Amino acid sequence: MIDFEVLAASARREGIERLGVGVVVRDRSGRVLLIRRAAHDVLPGLWEYPGGGREDGEEVDAGAARELAEETGLADLELEFARTLDYTNHNGRRVRQFVFTTVVPDGTTVTLSDDHDDHQWARPDALPHTRDGQREVITWLADRLATPGWRPVGGYLTTVARPATYGSFLFTDPSGRILGMRSATDPDVWDLPGGMVEHGESPFDAAMREAREELGLDLASENPQVLRRRLVTVIHTQADAHYPVPVVGHVFDGGTLTAEQQARIRLHPTEHTEYRFETAHDWRHHMDLAHYRRLRQVLRAHRFGRPLYLERPAPPDGDFEGVLVLVTDPAGRLLMHLRDNGPGPWPGYWTPPGGWREGDEKAEESAVREVREEAGIEITGLRTLPDPHPDHGLPLTRVLHAVWTGSEKDLQLGDEGQALRMVPLTEVLDLHVPPYLQHYLPLLASSPSEGVRP
């Protein structure tokens, strides 16, 4: 649907003083209906297509239908918006005319108003005396219609997907935890502050409005850095059983909310019942997998430092947000990494190397980088193992295996973790390890081809 009020507002900003409407009526033979102004009217004897001024409070398309019916008696026709025409009228005022078009059978009866005294069906290349602007519109329309498959924009828009659009903010607290809000209508849903774009809004305008309505915070005055409109990501979500139309979301960087700002948050009771700040890792205990996947995508784009275009569902080779890398050597040992005791996944556990995806990395690229960062070695020849079962506590993770032929003395602990060791497969479960290793150890002991994803 075309929002003509938005187009009208745009015209006013451009200095247009009056809005008009016009209708190019074509018959099946490709001729155009022209009507002649009566002797007592302004510009007597001038031929023109039906049209006039938009009345106060009238919808643009309704004005076009009214003028057509008043001047020709043609009513209840399907009008398609085609283009605009700017001109200066006889009073010296700048006018923007919204031009529509329609088709009627040859020989359709025309009933003229008192302001017109004749009509004719003219070929676009043989028009009678008319204004240059109207001649331009008719010629333009005829040329476009001669192009196979072309149709006026008003009709064309009815044939293309028109997704819903939203704007939202990614907010953190001084500790880097992420703000989420619990839905009042669906208490199982936690999401970022934001909402759907309303008529005339941009996605950023919608995010700013929703921040005022949902949080009670005026970000323009309190956090003016958000006015830089730093886009974090655009996410296209395909229609599904939950929401039957595609949705395009724009997530912007909302920056950090201070403790004082957090204390002044006032939720809109009909929209949200609770808010909280959680680490990226801990949000998985509150969100369903779909919302957690979207959050991890947003956070990946935020870490990347420049906007990412993302899709839901993701392409098969991109449907992951983390990697677990099982590195063995010819002696049958597994590379193990003692995790830090602080916040994060598996604190104080011995785990294989792994971590979150960065930017637009492929799984193999993430795996190579994580092993380099955590153990200081380079791996090649990776194979993909089956995805972990949901009970393994590894959401959105791709599991890969590589055989490394280097020496243990080449291992170098990175900025994270407490220690590195090559551990015999038979001794791994003697350590303090996550339960998922009970599933993957047998795959490492089997032949290399077993468990490989096709």
Side-chain angles (χ1 to χ4, degrees), residues 169-179 193 211 215 217-227 230 232 252-265 275 277 302:
F169 277 118
L170 174 65
F171 291 111
T172 59
D173 68 4
S175 299
R177 298 180 302 169
I178 301 103
L179 172 64
L215 301 174
L217 299 178
D218 182 2
L219 296 177
S221 60
E222 296 193 37
N223 289 24
Q225 69 271 17
V226 305
L227 297 179
R230 185 194 165 200
V232 176
F252 300 91
D253 189 348
T256 301
L257 296 182
T258 66
E260 189 272 335
Q261 287 176 311
Q262 296 173 43
R264 288 192 287 106
I265 289 177
Y275 74 90
F277 289 85
H302 189 257

mmCIF file of all heavy atoms in Angstrom, residues 169-179 193 211 215 217-227 230 232 252-265 275 277 302:
data_model
loop_
_atom_site.group_PDB
_atom_site.id
_atom_site.type_symbol
_atom_site.label_atom_id
_atom_site.label_comp_id
_atom_site.label_asym_id
_atom_site.label_seq_id
_atom_site.Cartn_x
_atom_site.Cartn_y
_atom_site.Cartn_z
ATOM 1 N N PHE A 169 16.972 -1.374 19.708
ATOM 2 C CA PHE A 169 18.269 -0.970 20.228
ATOM 3 C C PHE A 169 18.914 -2.115 20.992
ATOM 4 O O PHE A 169 18.234 -2.893 21.681
ATOM 5 C CB PHE A 169 18.132 0.218 21.193
ATOM 6 C CG PHE A 169 18.051 1.549 20.511
ATOM 7 C CD1 PHE A 169 16.921 2.340 20.643
ATOM 8 C CD2 PHE A 169 19.114 2.028 19.755
ATOM 9 C CE1 PHE A 169 16.854 3.578 20.030
ATOM 10 C CE2 PHE A 169 19.051 3.268 19.135
ATOM 11 C CZ PHE A 169 17.918 4.042 19.269
ATOM 12 N N LEU A 170 20.235 -2.194 20.884
ATOM 13 C CA LEU A 170 21.033 -3.070 21.733
ATOM 14 C C LEU A 170 21.614 -2.201 22.836
ATOM 15 O O LEU A 170 22.449 -1.329 22.583
ATOM 16 C CB LEU A 170 22.147 -3.727 20.929
ATOM 17 C CG LEU A 170 23.154 -4.568 21.729
ATOM 18 C CD1 LEU A 170 22.472 -5.784 22.348
ATOM 19 C CD2 LEU A 170 24.316 -4.998 20.853
ATOM 20 N N PHE A 171 21.146 -2.414 24.078
ATOM 21 C CA PHE A 171 21.639 -1.673 25.237
ATOM 22 C C PHE A 171 22.455 -2.597 26.137
ATOM 23 O O PHE A 171 22.118 -3.780 26.304
ATOM 24 C CB PHE A 171 20.477 -1.119 26.085
ATOM 25 C CG PHE A 171 19.699 -0.019 25.434
ATOM 26 C CD1 PHE A 171 18.397 -0.229 25.012
ATOM 27 C CD2 PHE A 171 20.255 1.240 25.253
ATOM 28 C CE1 PHE A 171 17.655 0.781 24.425
ATOM 29 C CE2 PHE A 171 19.526 2.271 24.669
ATOM 30 C CZ PHE A 171 18.216 2.035 24.254
ATOM 31 N N THR A 172 23.498 -2.060 26.746
ATOM 32 C CA THR A 172 24.264 -2.799 27.740
ATOM 33 C C THR A 172 24.378 -1.968 29.009
ATOM 34 O O THR A 172 24.103 -0.756 29.005
ATOM 35 C CB THR A 172 25.674 -3.132 27.226
ATOM 36 O OG1 THR A 172 26.356 -1.912 26.903
ATOM 37 C CG2 THR A 172 25.610 -4.019 25.989
ATOM 38 N N ASP A 173 24.776 -2.634 30.100
ATOM 39 C CA ASP A 173 25.089 -1.906 31.330
ATOM 40 C C ASP A 173 26.605 -1.721 31.403
ATOM 41 O O ASP A 173 27.336 -2.199 30.527
ATOM 42 C CB ASP A 173 24.515 -2.626 32.547
ATOM 43 C CG ASP A 173 25.201 -3.957 32.844
ATOM 44 O OD1 ASP A 173 26.183 -4.300 32.137
ATOM 45 O OD2 ASP A 173 24.763 -4.647 33.776
ATOM 46 N N PRO A 174 27.126 -1.015 32.418
ATOM 47 C CA PRO A 174 28.568 -0.769 32.483
ATOM 48 C C PRO A 174 29.412 -2.043 32.530
ATOM 49 O O PRO A 174 30.605 -1.994 32.211
ATOM 50 C CB PRO A 174 28.727 0.065 33.759
ATOM 51 C CG PRO A 174 27.421 0.791 33.888
ATOM 52 C CD PRO A 174 26.390 -0.208 33.434
ATOM 53 N N SER A 175 28.797 -3.183 32.898
ATOM 54 C CA SER A 175 29.534 -4.450 32.935
ATOM 55 C C SER A 175 29.477 -5.198 31.605
ATOM 56 O O SER A 175 30.051 -6.285 31.487
ATOM 57 C CB SER A 175 28.977 -5.345 34.048
ATOM 58 O OG SER A 175 29.121 -4.724 35.316
ATOM 59 N N GLY A 176 28.764 -4.639 30.632
ATOM 60 C CA GLY A 176 28.661 -5.295 29.338
ATOM 61 C C GLY A 176 27.512 -6.269 29.215
ATOM 62 O O GLY A 176 27.373 -6.942 28.187
ATOM 63 N N ARG A 177 26.669 -6.369 30.250
ATOM 64 C CA ARG A 177 25.508 -7.248 30.165
ATOM 65 C C ARG A 177 24.438 -6.612 29.277
ATOM 66 O O ARG A 177 24.334 -5.398 29.181
ATOM 67 C CB ARG A 177 24.955 -7.540 31.549
ATOM 68 C CG ARG A 177 25.931 -8.260 32.468
ATOM 69 C CD ARG A 177 25.312 -8.508 33.836
ATOM 70 N NE ARG A 177 24.886 -7.257 34.459
ATOM 71 C CZ ARG A 177 24.121 -7.180 35.557
ATOM 72 N NH1 ARG A 177 23.702 -8.302 36.140
ATOM 73 N NH2 ARG A 177 23.794 -6.005 36.058
ATOM 74 N N ILE A 178 23.598 -7.458 28.670
ATOM 75 C CA ILE A 178 22.644 -7.001 27.653
ATOM 76 C C ILE A 178 21.256 -6.868 28.264
ATOM 77 O O ILE A 178 20.811 -7.724 29.031
ATOM 78 C CB ILE A 178 22.608 -7.984 26.460
ATOM 79 C CG1 ILE A 178 23.993 -8.105 25.827
ATOM 80 C CG2 ILE A 178 21.592 -7.550 25.430
ATOM 81 C CD1 ILE A 178 24.720 -9.375 26.203
ATOM 82 N N LEU A 179 20.569 -5.781 27.869
ATOM 83 C CA LEU A 179 19.216 -5.535 28.346
ATOM 84 C C LEU A 179 18.211 -6.339 27.540
ATOM 85 O O LEU A 179 18.212 -6.312 26.303
ATOM 86 C CB LEU A 179 18.879 -4.039 28.222
ATOM 87 C CG LEU A 179 17.419 -3.645 28.509
ATOM 88 C CD1 LEU A 179 17.051 -3.953 29.967
ATOM 89 C CD2 LEU A 179 17.189 -2.167 28.196
ATOM 90 N N PRO A 193 14.602 -3.935 23.350
ATOM 91 C CA PRO A 193 13.644 -2.836 23.240
ATOM 92 C C PRO A 193 13.476 -2.404 21.783
ATOM 93 O O PRO A 193 14.451 -2.234 21.052
ATOM 94 C CB PRO A 193 14.285 -1.713 24.065
ATOM 95 C CG PRO A 193 15.242 -2.404 24.975
ATOM 96 C CD PRO A 193 15.743 -3.594 24.224
ATOM 97 N N ALA A 211 11.786 3.317 22.560
ATOM 98 C CA ALA A 211 12.583 3.508 23.773
ATOM 99 C C ALA A 211 11.876 4.440 24.741
ATOM 100 O O ALA A 211 11.903 4.233 25.963
ATOM 101 C CB ALA A 211 13.963 4.055 23.417
ATOM 102 N N LEU A 215 10.685 2.194 27.783
ATOM 103 C CA LEU A 215 11.629 2.399 28.894
ATOM 104 C C LEU A 215 11.399 3.702 29.642
ATOM 105 O O LEU A 215 11.869 3.851 30.776
ATOM 106 C CB LEU A 215 13.072 2.392 28.368
ATOM 107 C CG LEU A 215 13.545 1.128 27.657
ATOM 108 C CD1 LEU A 215 14.940 1.345 27.083
ATOM 109 C CD2 LEU A 215 13.548 -0.046 28.619
ATOM 110 N N LEU A 217 12.682 6.523 28.643
ATOM 111 C CA LEU A 217 13.937 7.269 28.527
ATOM 112 C C LEU A 217 13.957 8.058 27.218
ATOM 113 O O LEU A 217 13.622 7.519 26.164
ATOM 114 C CB LEU A 217 15.133 6.319 28.561
ATOM 115 C CG LEU A 217 15.314 5.468 29.823
ATOM 116 C CD1 LEU A 217 16.514 4.544 29.657
ATOM 117 C CD2 LEU A 217 15.471 6.346 31.058
ATOM 118 N N ASP A 218 14.360 9.331 27.311
ATOM 119 C CA ASP A 218 14.514 10.173 26.129
ATOM 120 C C ASP A 218 15.973 10.118 25.704
ATOM 121 O O ASP A 218 16.811 10.884 26.168
ATOM 122 C CB ASP A 218 14.101 11.610 26.450
ATOM 123 C CG ASP A 218 14.189 12.522 25.230
ATOM 124 O OD1 ASP A 218 14.542 12.017 24.146
ATOM 125 O OD2 ASP A 218 13.933 13.734 25.373
ATOM 126 N N LEU A 219 16.278 9.190 24.814
ATOM 127 C CA LEU A 219 17.676 8.960 24.445
ATOM 128 C C LEU A 219 18.284 10.151 23.710
ATOM 129 O O LEU A 219 19.488 10.386 23.804
ATOM 130 C CB LEU A 219 17.774 7.718 23.564
ATOM 131 C CG LEU A 219 17.366 6.397 24.217
ATOM 132 C CD1 LEU A 219 17.454 5.275 23.196
ATOM 133 C CD2 LEU A 219 18.247 6.097 25.406
ATOM 134 N N ALA A 220 17.478 10.899 22.973
ATOM 135 C CA ALA A 220 18.022 12.025 22.219
ATOM 136 C C ALA A 220 18.708 13.030 23.137
ATOM 137 O O ALA A 220 19.730 13.613 22.788
ATOM 138 C CB ALA A 220 16.917 12.705 21.430
ATOM 139 N N SER A 221 18.171 13.219 24.343
ATOM 140 C CA SER A 221 18.779 14.169 25.278
ATOM 141 C C SER A 221 19.737 13.495 26.254
ATOM 142 O O SER A 221 20.731 14.095 26.666
ATOM 143 C CB SER A 221 17.681 14.898 26.070
ATOM 144 O OG SER A 221 16.886 13.968 26.807
ATOM 145 N N GLU A 222 19.467 12.240 26.612
ATOM 146 C CA GLU A 222 20.289 11.568 27.620
ATOM 147 C C GLU A 222 21.515 10.882 27.026
ATOM 148 O O GLU A 222 22.594 10.894 27.627
ATOM 149 C CB GLU A 222 19.445 10.540 28.373
ATOM 150 C CG GLU A 222 18.307 11.141 29.176
ATOM 151 C CD GLU A 222 17.721 10.126 30.138
ATOM 152 O OE1 GLU A 222 18.480 9.325 30.702
ATOM 153 O OE2 GLU A 222 16.499 10.127 30.320
ATOM 154 N N ASN A 223 21.355 10.226 25.899
ATOM 155 C CA ASN A 223 22.457 9.509 25.237
ATOM 156 C C ASN A 223 22.559 9.986 23.787
ATOM 157 O O ASN A 223 22.271 9.238 22.857
ATOM 158 C CB ASN A 223 22.212 7.990 25.259
ATOM 159 C CG ASN A 223 22.367 7.393 26.632
ATOM 160 O OD1 ASN A 223 22.218 8.091 27.623
ATOM 161 N ND2 ASN A 223 22.650 6.117 26.700
ATOM 162 N N PRO A 224 22.951 11.247 23.584
ATOM 163 C CA PRO A 224 22.919 11.794 22.218
ATOM 164 C C PRO A 224 23.798 11.040 21.224
ATOM 165 O O PRO A 224 23.622 11.189 20.018
ATOM 166 C CB PRO A 224 23.404 13.238 22.408
ATOM 167 C CG PRO A 224 24.128 13.248 23.716
ATOM 168 C CD PRO A 224 23.447 12.228 24.569
ATOM 169 N N GLN A 225 24.725 10.204 21.729
ATOM 170 C CA GLN A 225 25.558 9.450 20.786
ATOM 171 C C GLN A 225 24.729 8.492 19.937
ATOM 172 O O GLN A 225 25.149 8.094 18.845
ATOM 173 C CB GLN A 225 26.666 8.681 21.514
ATOM 174 C CG GLN A 225 26.194 7.514 22.363
ATOM 175 C CD GLN A 225 25.850 7.932 23.788
ATOM 176 O OE1 GLN A 225 25.665 9.124 24.070
ATOM 177 N NE2 GLN A 225 25.798 6.961 24.689
ATOM 178 N N VAL A 226 23.522 8.109 20.425
ATOM 179 C CA VAL A 226 22.692 7.209 19.625
ATOM 180 C C VAL A 226 22.210 7.892 18.353
ATOM 181 O O VAL A 226 21.842 7.214 17.387
ATOM 182 C CB VAL A 226 21.481 6.666 20.425
ATOM 183 C CG1 VAL A 226 21.921 5.992 21.697
ATOM 184 C CG2 VAL A 226 20.463 7.752 20.710
ATOM 185 N N LEU A 227 22.209 9.237 18.337
ATOM 186 C CA LEU A 227 21.752 9.963 17.155
ATOM 187 C C LEU A 227 22.707 9.798 15.982
ATOM 188 O O LEU A 227 22.395 10.212 14.864
ATOM 189 C CB LEU A 227 21.576 11.441 17.489
ATOM 190 C CG LEU A 227 20.506 11.746 18.551
ATOM 191 C CD1 LEU A 227 20.436 13.232 18.822
ATOM 192 C CD2 LEU A 227 19.144 11.215 18.115
ATOM 193 N N ARG A 230 24.151 4.414 14.608
ATOM 194 C CA ARG A 230 25.064 3.326 14.296
ATOM 195 C C ARG A 230 24.268 2.028 14.149
ATOM 196 O O ARG A 230 23.738 1.486 15.111
ATOM 197 C CB ARG A 230 26.116 3.167 15.394
ATOM 198 C CG ARG A 230 27.143 2.094 14.998
ATOM 199 C CD ARG A 230 27.991 1.638 16.145
ATOM 200 N NE ARG A 230 28.679 0.394 15.779
ATOM 201 C CZ ARG A 230 29.188 -0.460 16.647
ATOM 202 N NH1 ARG A 230 29.100 -0.219 17.940
ATOM 203 N NH2 ARG A 230 29.781 -1.560 16.246
ATOM 204 N N VAL A 232 23.800 -1.804 13.783
ATOM 205 C CA VAL A 232 24.514 -3.018 14.162
ATOM 206 C C VAL A 232 24.263 -4.116 13.143
ATOM 207 O O VAL A 232 25.190 -4.754 12.647
ATOM 208 C CB VAL A 232 24.093 -3.475 15.574
ATOM 209 C CG1 VAL A 232 24.759 -4.804 15.933
ATOM 210 C CG2 VAL A 232 24.439 -2.407 16.603
ATOM 211 N N PHE A 252 20.045 -1.091 16.208
ATOM 212 C CA PHE A 252 20.980 0.010 16.352
ATOM 213 C C PHE A 252 21.694 -0.083 17.702
ATOM 214 O O PHE A 252 21.184 -0.684 18.650
ATOM 215 C CB PHE A 252 20.249 1.350 16.250
ATOM 216 C CG PHE A 252 19.548 1.559 14.942
ATOM 217 C CD1 PHE A 252 18.222 1.179 14.786
ATOM 218 C CD2 PHE A 252 20.211 2.115 13.866
ATOM 219 C CE1 PHE A 252 17.563 1.364 13.578
ATOM 220 C CE2 PHE A 252 19.570 2.301 12.651
ATOM 221 C CZ PHE A 252 18.247 1.921 12.505
ATOM 222 N N ASP A 253 22.861 0.526 17.777
ATOM 223 C CA ASP A 253 23.648 0.533 19.004
ATOM 224 C C ASP A 253 23.098 1.599 19.945
ATOM 225 O O ASP A 253 23.169 2.796 19.652
ATOM 226 C CB ASP A 253 25.115 0.825 18.676
ATOM 227 C CG ASP A 253 26.029 0.621 19.876
ATOM 228 O OD1 ASP A 253 25.511 0.481 20.999
ATOM 229 O OD2 ASP A 253 27.262 0.611 19.696
ATOM 230 N N GLY A 254 22.536 1.155 21.080
ATOM 231 C CA GLY A 254 21.982 2.088 22.056
ATOM 232 C C GLY A 254 22.986 2.530 23.109
ATOM 233 O O GLY A 254 22.680 3.390 23.934
ATOM 234 N N GLY A 255 24.170 1.941 23.095
ATOM 235 C CA GLY A 255 25.192 2.331 24.064
ATOM 236 C C GLY A 255 24.936 1.748 25.438
ATOM 237 O O GLY A 255 24.236 0.751 25.607
ATOM 238 N N THR A 256 25.504 2.410 26.442
ATOM 239 C CA THR A 256 25.459 1.939 27.836
ATOM 240 C C THR A 256 24.456 2.740 28.644
ATOM 241 O O THR A 256 24.430 3.971 28.579
ATOM 242 C CB THR A 256 26.854 2.066 28.478
ATOM 243 O OG1 THR A 256 27.786 1.284 27.723
ATOM 244 C CG2 THR A 256 26.836 1.580 29.919
ATOM 245 N N LEU A 257 23.629 2.045 29.398
ATOM 246 C CA LEU A 257 22.708 2.691 30.325
ATOM 247 C C LEU A 257 23.337 2.698 31.716
ATOM 248 O O LEU A 257 23.707 1.648 32.245
ATOM 249 C CB LEU A 257 21.366 1.966 30.368
ATOM 250 C CG LEU A 257 20.548 1.968 29.063
ATOM 251 C CD1 LEU A 257 19.213 1.258 29.287
ATOM 252 C CD2 LEU A 257 20.319 3.386 28.560
ATOM 253 N N THR A 258 23.470 3.867 32.278
ATOM 254 C CA THR A 258 24.076 3.994 33.602
ATOM 255 C C THR A 258 23.146 3.432 34.671
ATOM 256 O O THR A 258 21.958 3.190 34.424
ATOM 257 C CB THR A 258 24.366 5.466 33.910
ATOM 258 O OG1 THR A 258 23.115 6.171 34.008
ATOM 259 C CG2 THR A 258 25.228 6.102 32.820
ATOM 260 N N ALA A 259 23.686 3.261 35.878
ATOM 261 C CA ALA A 259 22.868 2.778 36.990
ATOM 262 C C ALA A 259 21.727 3.746 37.273
ATOM 263 O O ALA A 259 20.601 3.327 37.595
ATOM 264 C CB ALA A 259 23.737 2.597 38.231
ATOM 265 N N GLU A 260 21.988 5.042 37.131
ATOM 266 C CA GLU A 260 20.951 6.042 37.373
ATOM 267 C C GLU A 260 19.842 5.939 36.330
ATOM 268 O O GLU A 260 18.653 6.030 36.651
ATOM 269 C CB GLU A 260 21.590 7.435 37.360
ATOM 270 C CG GLU A 260 20.656 8.559 37.803
ATOM 271 C CD GLU A 260 19.838 9.137 36.660
ATOM 272 O OE1 GLU A 260 20.299 9.026 35.499
ATOM 273 O OE2 GLU A 260 18.728 9.651 36.925
ATOM 274 N N GLN A 261 20.217 5.722 35.081
ATOM 275 C CA GLN A 261 19.211 5.544 34.027
ATOM 276 C C GLN A 261 18.407 4.269 34.248
ATOM 277 O O GLN A 261 17.188 4.254 34.062
ATOM 278 C CB GLN A 261 19.883 5.518 32.660
ATOM 279 C CG GLN A 261 20.384 6.870 32.165
ATOM 280 C CD GLN A 261 21.116 6.751 30.856
ATOM 281 O OE1 GLN A 261 22.004 5.902 30.705
ATOM 282 N NE2 GLN A 261 20.783 7.594 29.884
ATOM 283 N N GLN A 262 19.081 3.214 34.633
ATOM 284 C CA GLN A 262 18.367 1.959 34.893
ATOM 285 C C GLN A 262 17.330 2.127 35.984
ATOM 286 O O GLN A 262 16.232 1.558 35.912
ATOM 287 C CB GLN A 262 19.363 0.870 35.283
ATOM 288 C CG GLN A 262 20.341 0.505 34.173
ATOM 289 C CD GLN A 262 21.403 -0.453 34.656
ATOM 290 O OE1 GLN A 262 21.116 -1.409 35.381
ATOM 291 N NE2 GLN A 262 22.652 -0.217 34.267
ATOM 292 N N ALA A 263 17.668 2.938 36.992
ATOM 293 C CA ALA A 263 16.732 3.156 38.097
ATOM 294 C C ALA A 263 15.490 3.925 37.648
ATOM 295 O O ALA A 263 14.444 3.839 38.300
ATOM 296 C CB ALA A 263 17.431 3.912 39.225
ATOM 297 N N ARG A 264 15.590 4.655 36.552
ATOM 298 C CA ARG A 264 14.452 5.434 36.064
ATOM 299 C C ARG A 264 13.666 4.723 34.976
ATOM 300 O O ARG A 264 12.730 5.299 34.417
ATOM 301 C CB ARG A 264 14.948 6.791 35.530
ATOM 302 C CG ARG A 264 15.386 7.739 36.625
ATOM 303 C CD ARG A 264 15.600 9.162 36.091
ATOM 304 N NE ARG A 264 16.820 9.268 35.288
ATOM 305 C CZ ARG A 264 16.843 9.373 33.970
ATOM 306 N NH1 ARG A 264 15.710 9.353 33.268
ATOM 307 N NH2 ARG A 264 17.989 9.478 33.319
ATOM 308 N N ILE A 265 14.029 3.505 34.647
ATOM 309 C CA ILE A 265 13.275 2.770 33.628
ATOM 310 C C ILE A 265 11.844 2.536 34.119
ATOM 311 O O ILE A 265 11.621 2.064 35.237
ATOM 312 C CB ILE A 265 13.952 1.422 33.302
ATOM 313 C CG1 ILE A 265 15.261 1.667 32.532
ATOM 314 C CG2 ILE A 265 13.016 0.531 32.474
ATOM 315 C CD1 ILE A 265 16.031 0.402 32.238
ATOM 316 N N TYR A 275 12.276 -6.312 33.165
ATOM 317 C CA TYR A 275 13.504 -6.168 32.371
ATOM 318 C C TYR A 275 14.675 -6.663 33.209
ATOM 319 O O TYR A 275 14.617 -6.711 34.437
ATOM 320 C CB TYR A 275 13.732 -4.710 31.934
ATOM 321 C CG TYR A 275 14.189 -3.791 33.037
ATOM 322 C CD1 TYR A 275 15.552 -3.608 33.291
ATOM 323 C CD2 TYR A 275 13.275 -3.086 33.821
ATOM 324 C CE1 TYR A 275 15.983 -2.766 34.304
ATOM 325 C CE2 TYR A 275 13.690 -2.246 34.833
ATOM 326 C CZ TYR A 275 15.046 -2.085 35.062
ATOM 327 O OH TYR A 275 15.474 -1.264 36.075
ATOM 328 N N PHE A 277 19.298 -7.318 32.965
ATOM 329 C CA PHE A 277 20.566 -7.340 32.245
ATOM 330 C C PHE A 277 21.238 -8.677 32.535
ATOM 331 O O PHE A 277 21.377 -9.061 33.697
ATOM 332 C CB PHE A 277 21.481 -6.196 32.700
ATOM 333 C CG PHE A 277 21.044 -4.833 32.252
ATOM 334 C CD1 PHE A 277 20.106 -4.109 32.981
ATOM 335 C CD2 PHE A 277 21.564 -4.263 31.101
ATOM 336 C CE1 PHE A 277 19.702 -2.854 32.580
ATOM 337 C CE2 PHE A 277 21.174 -2.998 30.690
ATOM 338 C CZ PHE A 277 20.237 -2.296 31.430
ATOM 339 N N HIS A 302 27.679 -6.862 16.497
ATOM 340 C CA HIS A 302 28.181 -5.779 17.348
ATOM 341 C C HIS A 302 29.690 -5.924 17.568
ATOM 342 O O HIS A 302 30.434 -4.930 17.518
ATOM 343 C CB HIS A 302 27.433 -5.800 18.684
ATOM 344 C CG HIS A 302 27.703 -4.616 19.546
ATOM 345 N ND1 HIS A 302 28.546 -4.660 20.630
ATOM 346 C CD2 HIS A 302 27.253 -3.333 19.466
ATOM 347 C CE1 HIS A 302 28.599 -3.476 21.202
ATOM 348 N NE2 HIS A 302 27.827 -2.652 20.514
#
